[in-house]
Amino acid sequence: MRKKGIAASKGYAIGHVVIKEDSEVKIVETIIADIEAEKGRLKEAVINSKEQLEKIKEKAEKDLGAEKAAVFESHMMLLEDPEFTGAVEMNIESSKINAEKALMDVVSMYMGIFASMEDEYMRERAADVKDVGNRILANLTGNIGAGLDNLNENTIIVAHDLTPSDTAQLDKNKVIGFLTNIGGRTSHSAIMARTLEIPAVVGLKDITKCIKNGDLVILDGEEGIAIINPDETLISEYKQKKEVYEKEKEELKKLINIETVTKSGKRIEVCGNIGKAEDIHQVLENGGDGVGLFRTEFLYMDREEMPTEEEQFESYKYVAEKSNPKPIVIRTLDIGGDKKLPYLPLPEEMNPFLGYRAIRLCLDKKDIFKIQLRALLRASAYGNIKIMFPMISSLEEFLAAKEVLSECMEELKEEGKEFNKDLEVGMMVEIPAAAICADELAKYVDFFSIGTNDLIQYTLAADRMNEKVSYLYKPNHPAVLRLIKMTIDAAHKEGKWCGMCGEVAGDESMIPILVEYGLDEFSMSATSILKAKQIIMNN
Ligand code: PEP
Ligand code: MG
């Protein structure tokens, strides 16, 4: 069977399916005759859970550091807590019910207790109990393929959707691609896939229903196709395509240390987009001229509390030093929309993409904003950092953000801390209003960076995450092209530079148009840089 979706990340993969289950398993209560045997099943599931957690913890310590791995330590402590497992055993004994039901009763009780506590930290422990409960349950039911750990090599993940943090945790040694029901080319899971260099097809609508765990599947990240249980001829055809693709990738490496100059002699900066500090290596290895977009919100994800000023400072300083003297444009927190933080509950909104997000949230929660700005400023003493504000819709908003930045500069001066007082401060143009008023804004900014992912969705009123309207989401729509051109011209008129960090910057069919419009800087997934350089040099 062949399914067509949206090509989200290039390349080919041939592997076996693991379906990521989102739905909760339904537990049926059964009366048990052999209570000892049931307690034995529970004991075994707990031992297996412990072994799995031990491995996850080791990996997390290696990949993410001891602090982030600490959460698994507390999961293990819960598994070892005799009050917890003892309560499940007692429930099996007294109610004579199966271990699954006895376990989930106790988990619900514990979750209820934690959830009703005053203290926020304790309230969050409810999620840990649920996680541990689900792990034991998975071991009891044998449904251990449900998570994203414990995978075999050559796995292709199939899911309704993957959150950005799911994607960030994928083990590249095991996972060779993913397929999802929903999402578009610019949903954050797709962007993460390109960063990880994992081929992906999204927006496949009902792929989770058409496929079983263990099925063989071909993933074609060029055409956006998934072929389920292909025959031998197709397999060898795709093995060949994969080989040709990889050879071409090798060829492009010759461009790594070559300056990108257009046919008319204009020098263009081709930079990379990153989500975490270590991604800088991939950008530099791919011949990037710097970073055009550091999406700092990923520093805030996958954790239980806000990153401190010190932690952020370390990350920004790391990138600044590694890329110095090449520039890095660091975007301030752009949370909201499809990016959420577990410890910062945001109101449920009818239209999250039109709601309380990015600069709107930061200007409202200045304490959070200032922590980041102070960290950024301090890191600017170590390399070529430029600051960029997201989702600016008016001059007032840009000036308000700059005002907070000035406050931070004053504070640091008083504290005798170093920073680059001349650092460039720019904004993203990703709201049509900003593009339309770019002539005015250009007088106040040091640079623009066009965020086409949002600009297109707002201009064409087509949700970037919704595959049902993806046919409307057209980068080459005349309205989008005019806004892009207006923004570039407005910047140049004021002697400022204009970049682009939305996905259009790496879109092979759009690059020639952008060169013609006079775009100065292109920023994209590291893996697209070399191909983009080649195209720019031919235009
Ligand atoms: C954009 O909107 O184009 C952009 C680069 O920002 P993000 O994809 O993070 O919303
Ligand atoms: Mg955006």
Side-chain angles (χ1 to χ4, degrees), residues 343-531:
Y343 49 85
L344 183 71
L346 296 176
E348 279 296 316
E349 296 178 302
M350 293 283 281
N351 294 300
F353 274 107
L354 300 183
Y356 185 59
R357 61 175 286 205
I359 199 70
R360 304 164 181 193
L361 186 145
C362 286
L363 288 175
D364 184 44
K365 293 189 186 294
K366 283 211 185 106
D367 45 343
I368 296 177
F369 195 27
K370 281 178 81 171
I371 291 173
Q372 178 171 43
L373 292 177
R374 285 175 54 97
L376 281 172
L377 285 169
R378 285 173 52 205
S380 71
Y382 297 85
N384 190 358
I385 286 183
K386 301 170 200 272
I387 293 182
M388 171 160 80
F389 299 124
M391 292 287 291
I392 297 288
S393 65
S394 67
L395 179 59
E396 289 71 32
E397 226 167 7
F398 180 74
L399 295 179
K402 269 201 88 165
E403 184 59 37
V404 185
L405 186 67
S406 301
E407 270 175 45
C408 294
M409 285 183 170
E410 283 308 313
E411 282 176 18
L412 292 175
K413 237 187 263 168
E414 269 169 36
E415 292 164 27
K417 297 197 169 126
E418 275 191 46
F419 62 91
N420 173 11
K421 62 179 185 356
D422 298 319
L423 93 171
E424 287 187 29
V425 183
M427 58 171 267
M428 292 202 54
V429 176
E430 51 185 339
I431 297 181
I436 294 164
C437 298
D439 53 347
E440 189 60 20
L441 286 157
K443 298 189 173 94
Y444 297 86
V445 303
D446 291 318
F447 64 90
F448 285 142
S449 183
I450 306 176
T452 49
N453 305 341
D454 280 316
L455 185 65
I456 297 171
Q457 77 164 344
Y458 296 135
T459 305
L460 302 174
D463 185 341
R464 65 196 260 190
M465 307 278 289
N466 185 343
E467 76 286 349
K468 285 224 166 61
V469 294
S470 61
Y471 71 99
L472 291 170
Y473 189 95
K474 287 206 179 84
N476 58 357
H477 187 292
V480 176
L481 294 179
R482 282 186 211 181
L483 292 176
I484 292 173
K485 178 83 166 65
M486 276 168 69
T487 308
I488 300 171
D489 288 348
H492 290 171
K493 195 153 166 257
E494 296 296 332
K496 312 290 168 67
W497 62 269
C498 183
M500 180 180 285
C501 58
E503 293 304 306
V504 169
D507 181 332
E508 293 171 21
S509 64
M510 293 292 291
I511 292 173
I513 302 174
L514 300 170
V515 170
E516 188 195 315
Y517 284 2
L519 192 73
D520 304 294
E521 179 238 41
F522 292 63
S523 193
M524 60 199 70
S525 309
T527 47
S528 306
I529 291 176
L530 289 170
K531 186 75 194 167

Side-chain angles (χ1 to χ4, degrees), residues 205-222:
K205 298 190 176 76
D206 57 354
I207 184 81
T208 46
K209 294 209 179 98
C210 312
I211 219 163
K212 302 188 299 301
N213 274 319
D215 274 351
L216 185 71
V217 69
I218 292 176
L219 186 166
D220 178 343
E222 304 290 308

Side-chain angles (χ1 to χ4, degrees), residues 255-300:
L255 301 178
I256 288 180
N257 293 315
I258 294 186
E259 280 201 346
T260 314
V261 180
T262 65
K263 282 238 164 93
S264 63
K266 176 172 168 164
R267 167 84 166 95
I268 304 276
E269 303 279 321
V270 186
C271 300
N273 292 348
I274 64 173
K276 51 183 193 316
E278 307 85 72
D279 295 343
I280 181 65
H281 300 292
Q282 209 187 358
V283 172
L284 299 175
E285 281 159 19
N286 279 282
D289 293 311
V291 170
L293 169 65
F294 183 171
R295 287 185 167 93
T296 57
E297 47 279 7
F298 288 101
L299 295 178
Y300 291 68

Side-chain angles (χ1 to χ4, degrees), residues 7-28:
S9 178
K10 282 168 158 294
Y12 300 93
I14 305 169
H16 290 279
V17 167
V18 168
I19 301 180
K20 178 179 174 274
E21 306 282 355
D22 289 323
S23 52
E24 308 231 321
V25 186
K26 284 248 174 306
I27 303 298
V28 182

